[in-house]
Amino acid sequence: MAVGPPTPPGPSAVRAAAARSHAAGGSPATLPRRVGIVGSGLIGASIGLALRRAGVEVLLRDTDPEQVKLAEAMGAGTLWQGEHVDHAVIAVPAHAIAPELRAVQRAGLAVTASDVASVKSRPIAEAVVAGADLTTWCPAHPIAGRERGGAASAQADLFAERTWVLCPIPQTDAAAVAATEALARACGALPVRATPDRHDEAMAALSHLPQVVASLLAAAAPRLAPGEVALAGQGFRDTTRLAESDPALWSSILEGNRGPVSAHARRLAAELGALADALDHASEASVTKVVTDLMERGRTGRAQLPSKAGGQAARSWGWVGVVLDDRPGQLAALLTTVSGWGVNLEDVAPFEHSLEAPAGVLELAVAPDEAGPLVDRLNAAGWVAYRRS
């Protein structure tokens, strides 16, 4: 006798299962065995790829069936046809979180759920209005992405060593938090906690406003002649990389985080206005002071960035540059020499080398008080070394 798929349990049964998991003191390391993902775009498909690699059964659904087919073909999961799952990931734009979450809960499809939106406060408020079950949902946000969206751009290692922010609210059950944390770790990310409002404030400064600035910078390029645009160096290319992002997605993000983004945009506009006023009217000495102050504050802000996700702010290392001839064994010889002196290398910058040049430069980070002596020892040993300013 043929047996069809089991009938999904109702919402009350789902809440009971979550309560049993909480009462049993489920371990945060327990990874859901079956995960359903609503949304098969870049983030959803990348989560699917990562979870499949971790041995999790992944089911996918999307309003665009072509995205599901593409994600399936890439190995991110199989079509979700109403099967019950241990955890659901709502991987849709911020404005669609509440209705999609409520739909999954109303159908009794998942024990717990999380989302991936880069805005948290507004979806939570909308979920309350929609009557969603807040106890089984852990609002979350993986800090990763690419300029290009869609399942075709998905990568299994997109979240490797990236921060995954968990923003549980007072109603969130421990089982939902544990499942979300385990999922983040399975994707290679580092779970951290934040309140929804602080998350949105931080994202406005670190993600949402940079997107706007990149788009504004790139929008200025068409005002130049075609031959002049070709003069763009790597600085313009680096700072406008985000301008390739999806306008529809970012319209949803910025509309959902209006207050914090508006406040940061006004502060930036005031800074730019002060610089423009100085350039228009101030003396040479005053302009120098304004620009120097701006650049120094920028360097200070940049220095606060941790070298790794979730880490402390990067220390101010001493950087030593070494010229390496373009011949086999040079890199190994340099590192062997330095390690033989008992010098602890804190970091190594990418090797700067033009294909046409006979030599390149490798920069080594060491403790500040070791940089000068290391330069002296390297030069004495026959290398060409210098201390980066």
Side-chain angles (χ1 to χ4, degrees):
M1 180 176 65
V3 178
T7 302
S12 61
V14 172
R15 286 193 292 271
R20 288 195 297 272
S21 174
H22 180 37
S27 168
T30 301
L31 180 63
R33 291 174 296 178
R34 177 188 277 180
V35 172
I37 301 177
V38 181
S40 301
L42 169 66
I43 300 300
S46 293
I47 292 174
L49 289 171
L51 292 180
R52 286 288 298 275
R53 189 167 61 178
V56 176
E57 180 184 359
V58 177
L59 303 177
L60 304 165
R61 65 186 249 193
D62 197 289
T63 55
D64 182 356
E66 294 303 316
Q67 285 297 311
V68 175
K69 290 181 181 179
L70 184 55
E72 281 190 276
M74 295 180 64
T78 57
L79 180 63
W80 191 1
Q81 302 183 79
E83 300 92 333
H84 180 252
V85 298
D86 300 311
H87 187 81
V89 179
I90 313 300
V92 298
H95 69 271
I97 293 293
E100 292 291 351
L101 174 66
R102 184 69 183 101
V104 167
Q105 292 178 337
R106 183 177 290 122
L109 296 180
V111 178
T112 57
S114 61
D115 70 281
V116 301
S118 67
V119 179
K120 296 269 73 84
S121 297
R122 183 161 177 178
I124 291 171
E126 292 174 342
V128 172
V129 173
D133 180 0
L134 304 182
T135 65
T136 60
W137 172 43
C138 180
H141 176 212
I143 310 295
R146 302 182 66 189
E147 306 85 58
R148 298 175 182 176
S153 301
Q155 297 177 330
D157 61 351
L158 184 67
F159 311 103
E161 298 186 357
R162 298 299 184 92
T163 300
W164 197 301
V165 188
L166 276 62
C167 301
I169 55 181
Q171 297 93 326
T172 304
D173 188 271
V177 177
T180 306
E181 180 175 328
L183 184 145
R185 293 189 186 281
C187 290
L190 176 67
V192 299
R193 302 285 183 92
T195 61
D197 60 332
R198 292 311 304 163
H199 166 276
D200 289 356
E201 180 71 24
M203 286 300 99
L206 302 176
S207 174
H208 304 166
L209 189 64
Q211 172 64 59
V212 172
V213 172
S215 295
L216 287 173
L217 285 174
R223 300 176 186 175
L224 301 173
E228 294 171 332
V229 175
L231 300 178
Q234 197 58 43
F236 184 82
R237 298 178 188 277
D238 288 345
T239 54
T240 59
R241 176 179 59 84
L242 295 176
E244 297 182 26
S245 299
D246 179 12
L249 171 65
W250 276 96
S251 295
S252 175
I253 291 173
L254 296 177
E255 199 280 331
N257 200 23
R258 291 186 183 194
V261 175
S262 174
H264 283 285
R266 291 187 184 283
R267 280 192 286 270
L268 179 61
E271 294 272 8
L272 289 173
L275 173 62
D277 288 343
L279 293 174
D280 283 342
H281 308 296
S283 65
E284 180 179 345
S286 295
V287 169
T288 299
K289 183 179 183 307
V290 169
V291 174
T292 299
D293 176 66
L294 171 63
M295 299 297 289
E296 288 295 343
R297 286 188 289 121
R299 287 166 63 97
T300 299
R302 174 78 179 177
Q304 294 183 49
L305 293 175
S307 56
K308 293 184 179 180
Q312 299 298 317
R315 289 180 57 187
S316 179
W317 304 117
W319 284 90
V320 174
V322 186
V323 177
L324 300 183
D325 293 335
D326 186 12
R327 54 189 174 87
Q330 282 285 281
L331 177 58
L334 172 63
L335 297 180
T336 299
T337 297
V338 173
S339 63
W341 292 336
V343 176
N344 184 38
L345 295 181
E346 304 293 348
D347 199 359
V348 179
F351 182 47
E352 297 289 342
H353 176 234
S354 170
L355 294 178
E356 299 79 16
V361 172
L362 185 73
E363 294 188 332
L364 312 174
V366 297
D369 58 351
E370 293 183 350
L374 179 57
V375 169
D376 294 339
R377 295 185 74 173
L378 285 169
N379 285 321
W383 300 90
V384 177
Y386 62 92
R387 180 164 185 174
R388 189 178 79 183
S389 59

